[in-house]
């Protein structure tokens, strides 16, 4: 069944969709790696509007995609071949999940899900046959959606077989993935210790809501980081559901907190681990939001100690969360220092769907380079904190550029007032309590108090 679908969907012309080469090039002292996330391959694209497919429109659909839909195969294929065109020889690829489309449960089955993961896996293998790929699952990569069990099951087992040529070369990795869909291994080319987290356990997962440490992942993470410190290793933490809040939808926090269950505060435990082991963590790479953003962890003394880099999605789907909007498809290339593991730069590439001509092959372009657009020396927590400081001015041109990048050049509107407060709170306050307090002390709180005052006055006048 999966081979038939593979033959039907994945044999395509190897077109070069990239406009030129990346400005980030490998040297004797520096390496590169790709980060790609949230393909959301809509196998029902063109069958009709939601709930038949992910498409929230009845308008005719273009071959290469629509802002109202998840990704058709043509878009996904172009994104991976664009990666090959811009930087054909990365040291490795990070793939942070969410492969299945945003469709109702009656349009999902284990068989359909596995076919989607199988096809995407084979595409990456075909285009990058000699490149290590480090994948993790997203919340849409299980059936039912979000409900990942902290124990072995048929989906973990089947996907581990697809990923055997990537992960099977490392001792114990496949077994760890089969057990709970997380793993760690030392990449021999870059020297990074890759820590593939299953943060879906902390997001809307009824399977884990009574468990303070689902599948003992937090304890495993601490043990892994302790060993990395002893061995002098630098760690890349990769995962799908990012910690912290959503900068484009104020109040949306990703890690669930079960207040009725003692000890279940996933955000607190995660934040404490990062604070304790920040010296060995080179960076944290996540997806899920579909946006281009970052988040900062601080020590108890207020010093920036770790950064999360949120990669934008390949899918352009206009989310159902109010006020968020769509995005242009994006892929990201990182540059790092081979000697000490410091992340140095990234280059963001994108496809402007609004300019795609139906009959022509789409052309992916370089959107920006972080070091130039943000005047960064590197991607260290200190450098990223200085970037946030540059955002503070009322008319900060750096923040304006960031906000345009946030939607991958889709939303060109001005972000100020409540919009900007939401962005800054999400970037600088990753823990739930800090994030909530930040929003309450901002323009949101003022607006709320004004609303209450007006309501009170109306009540008084109505009674008088």
């Amino acid at each position: 069944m999966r081979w038939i679908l593979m033959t039907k969907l994945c044999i395509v012309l190897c077109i070069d969709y990239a406009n030129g080469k990346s400005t980030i090039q490998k040297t004797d002292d520096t390496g590169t790696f790709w980060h790609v996330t949230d393909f959301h391959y809509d196998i029902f694209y063109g069958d009709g509007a939601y709930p038949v497919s992910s498409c929230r429109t009845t308008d005719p659909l273009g071959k290469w995609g629509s802002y109202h839909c998840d990704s058709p195969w043509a878009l996904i294929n172009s994104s991976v071949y664009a990666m090959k065109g811009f930087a054909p020889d990365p040291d490795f690829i990070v793939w942070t999940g969410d492969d299945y489309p945003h469709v109702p449960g009656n349009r999902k089955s284990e068989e359909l899900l596995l076919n989607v993961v199988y096809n995407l896996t084979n595409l990456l293998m075909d285009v990058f046959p000699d490149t290590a790929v480090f994948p993790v699952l997203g919340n849409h990569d299980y059936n039912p959606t979000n409900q990942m069990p902290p124990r072995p099951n048929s989906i973990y087992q089947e996907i581990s077989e697809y990923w055997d040529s990537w992960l099977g070369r490392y001792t114990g990795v496949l077994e760890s993935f089969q057990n709970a869909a997380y793993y760690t291994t030392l990449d021999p080319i870059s020297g990074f210790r890759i820590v593939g987290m299953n943060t879906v356990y902390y997001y809307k997962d009824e399977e884990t809501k009574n468990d303070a440490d689902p599948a003992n992942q937090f304890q495993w993470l601490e043990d892994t980081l302790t060993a990395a410190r002893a061995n002098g290793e630098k760690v890349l933490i990769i995962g799908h559901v990012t910690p912290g809040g959503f900068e484009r939808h104020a109040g949306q926090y990703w890690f669930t907190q079960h207040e009725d269950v003692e000890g279940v505060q996933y955000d607190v435990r995660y934040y404490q681990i990062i604070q304790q082991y920040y010296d060995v963590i080179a960076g944290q790479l996540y997806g899920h939001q579909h946006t281009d953003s970052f988040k900062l962890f601080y020590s108890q003394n207020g010093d920036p100690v770790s950064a999360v880099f949120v990669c934008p999605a390949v899918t352009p789907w206009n989310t159902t969360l109010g006020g968020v909007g769509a995005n242009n498809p994006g892929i990201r290339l990182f540059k790092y220092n081979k000697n000490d593991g410091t992340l140095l730069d990234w280059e963001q590439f994108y496809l402007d769907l609004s300019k795609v001509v139906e009959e022509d092959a789409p052309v992916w372009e370089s959107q920006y380079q972080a070091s130039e657009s943000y005047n960064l020396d590197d991607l260290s927590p200190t450098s990223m904190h200085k970037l946030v400081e540059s955002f503070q001015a009322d008319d900060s041109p750096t923040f304006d550029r960031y906000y345009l990048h946030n939607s991958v050049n889709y939303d060109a509107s001005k972000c100020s007032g409540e919009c900007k407060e939401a962005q800054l709170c999400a970037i600088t306050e990753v823990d739930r309590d800090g994030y909530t307090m930040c929003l309450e002390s901002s323009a949101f709180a003022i607006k709320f108090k004004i609303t209450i005052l007006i309501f009170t006055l109306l009540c008084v006048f109505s009674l008088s």
Side-chain angles (χ1 to χ4, degrees):
M1 178 66 171
R2 275 180 279 287
W3 173 248
I4 293 173
L5 281 176
M6 186 67 191
T7 303
K8 178 182 177 182
L9 295 172
C10 296
I11 294 179
V12 294
L13 294 175
C14 299
I15 300 171
D16 185 0
Y17 296 100
N19 182 11
K21 297 293 182 183
S22 171
T23 56
I24 293 178
Q25 297 295 321
K26 297 165 68 173
T27 67
D28 291 342
D29 295 321
T30 62
T32 62
F33 65 89
W34 281 106
H35 182 189
V36 63
T37 193
D38 293 82
F39 282 120
H40 286 290
Y41 169 31
D42 192 347
I43 52 179
F44 310 108
Y45 188 84
D47 289 353
Y50 187 88
V52 176
S53 74
S54 66
C55 298
R56 298 183 179 275
T57 180
T58 56
D59 295 339
L61 303 178
K63 171 183 177 181
W64 304 103
S66 164
Y67 292 120
H68 300 284
C69 308
D70 276 322
S71 306
W73 183 258
L75 173 59
I76 292 172
N77 181 74
S78 74
S79 71
V80 177
Y81 275 98
M83 291 164 62
K84 185 71 171 181
F86 286 122
D89 187 31
D91 293 333
F92 59 92
I93 297 171
V94 171
W95 173 20
T96 51
D98 256 17
D99 307 325
Y100 205 77
H102 297 84
V103 292
N106 63 4
R107 299 289 282 172
K108 190 174 190 178
S109 68
E110 183 170 323
E111 183 70 15
L112 289 172
L113 168 67
L114 292 172
N115 273 312
V116 165
V117 178
Y118 180 84
N119 278 272
L120 294 173
T121 298
N122 277 274
L123 176 62
L124 284 165
M125 286 182 176
D126 288 346
V127 179
F128 291 94
D130 302 316
T131 303
V133 177
F134 299 108
V136 293
L137 297 178
N139 56 296
H140 283 268
D141 301 333
Y142 197 81
N143 187 45
T145 298
N146 303 325
Q147 305 308 311
M148 284 195 178
R151 55 189 173 273
N153 57 77
S154 58
I155 291 179
Y156 295 170
Q157 176 65 39
E158 184 79 6
I159 292 176
S160 75
E161 295 175 13
Y162 304 161
W163 293 349
D164 178 75
S165 62
W166 290 335
L167 303 182
R169 69 184 74 175
Y170 309 109
T171 303
V173 170
L174 279 183
E175 293 80 3
S176 179
F177 183 86
Q178 291 163 0
N179 184 57
Y182 62 74
Y183 65 89
T184 183
T185 188
L186 188 66
D187 175 47
I189 295 177
S190 66
F192 282 123
R193 172 157 294 280
I194 306 296
V195 173
M197 295 281 291
N198 186 352
T199 53
V200 180
Y201 289 150
Y202 315 134
Y203 174 70
K204 295 184 179 180
D205 194 340
E206 292 296 312
E207 288 274 347
T208 63
K209 71 175 185 179
N210 296 318
D211 193 342
D213 188 7
N216 296 315
Q217 185 172 215
F218 283 134
Q219 185 59 57
W220 166 84
L221 177 60
E222 289 192 65
D223 294 343
T224 300
L225 294 174
T226 297
R229 178 182 283 162
N231 295 328
E233 299 167 349
K234 285 296 182 180
V235 173
L236 276 182
I237 296 177
I238 67 174
H240 179 71
V241 179
T242 176
F246 190 11
E247 73 281 353
R248 294 186 75 89
H249 191 80
Q252 174 66 54
Y253 196 84
W254 298 121
F255 282 14
T256 302
Q257 178 173 311
H258 300 288
E259 297 178 354
D260 56 333
V261 181
E262 184 178 354
V264 181
Q265 292 182 301
Y266 300 136
D267 61 307
V268 173
R269 182 77 182 274
Y270 187 81
Y271 204 108
Q272 289 172 343
I273 292 173
I274 299 302
Q275 284 182 322
Q276 184 176 355
Y277 295 97
Y278 70 87
D279 56 303
V280 299
I281 300 171
Q284 305 173 60
L285 310 179
Y286 285 94
H288 185 63
Q289 296 187 165
H290 298 191
T291 57
D292 179 342
S293 191
F294 63 99
K295 306 168 193 274
L296 288 171
F297 286 70
Y298 293 87
S299 70
Q300 293 182 345
N301 295 326
D303 299 320
V305 294
S306 189
V308 170
F309 301 99
V310 181
C311 183
V314 171
T315 181
W317 180 72
N318 191 335
T319 177
T320 54
L321 287 176
V324 175
N327 57 277
N328 279 306
I331 52 180
R332 175 173 292 178
L333 184 70
F334 277 95
K335 178 182 179 181
Y336 69 94
N337 187 316
K338 289 182 179 179
N339 299 314
D340 61 12
T342 300
L343 298 183
L344 300 173
D345 203 358
W346 77 72
E347 186 169 6
Q348 188 65 44
F349 302 90
Y350 81 120
L351 177 65
D352 188 340
L353 272 184
S354 68
K355 296 180 180 179
V356 172
V357 178
E358 182 69 11
E359 295 78 13
D360 299 335
V363 178
W364 288 70
E365 301 178 280
S366 175
Q367 182 191 4
Y368 71 95
Q369 190 170 338
S371 58
E372 295 180 358
S373 187
Y374 298 140
N375 192 29
L376 295 171
D377 294 328
D378 54 30
L379 306 182
S380 66
T382 299
S383 293
M384 300 309 294
H385 176 74
K386 290 179 180 177
L387 175 60
V388 177
E389 289 181 328
S390 75
F391 289 172
Q392 301 296 332
D394 289 340
D395 295 312
S396 167
T398 313
F399 177 79
D400 290 343
R401 286 194 295 274
Y402 159 80
Y403 188 70
L404 180 61
H405 298 160
N406 186 231
S407 63
V408 199
N409 284 23
Y410 175 80
D411 180 3
S413 66
K414 178 75 173 178
C415 178
S416 59
E418 294 179 4
C419 172
K420 188 170 182 178
E421 291 286 354
Q423 290 279 342
L424 295 179
C425 287
I427 291 172
T428 59
E429 298 290 351
V430 179
D431 69 288
R432 180 189 297 270
D433 289 344
Y435 176 62
T436 302
M437 290 175 61
C438 182
L439 292 179
E440 288 177 349
S441 64
S442 69
F444 296 97
I446 297 173
K447 181 179 180 180
F448 177 75
K449 290 175 182 177
I450 291 175
T451 302
I452 293 297
L453 176 60
I454 293 173
F455 178 77
T456 302
L457 291 173
L458 287 174
C459 290
V460 170
F461 285 124
S462 65
L463 294 173
S464 60

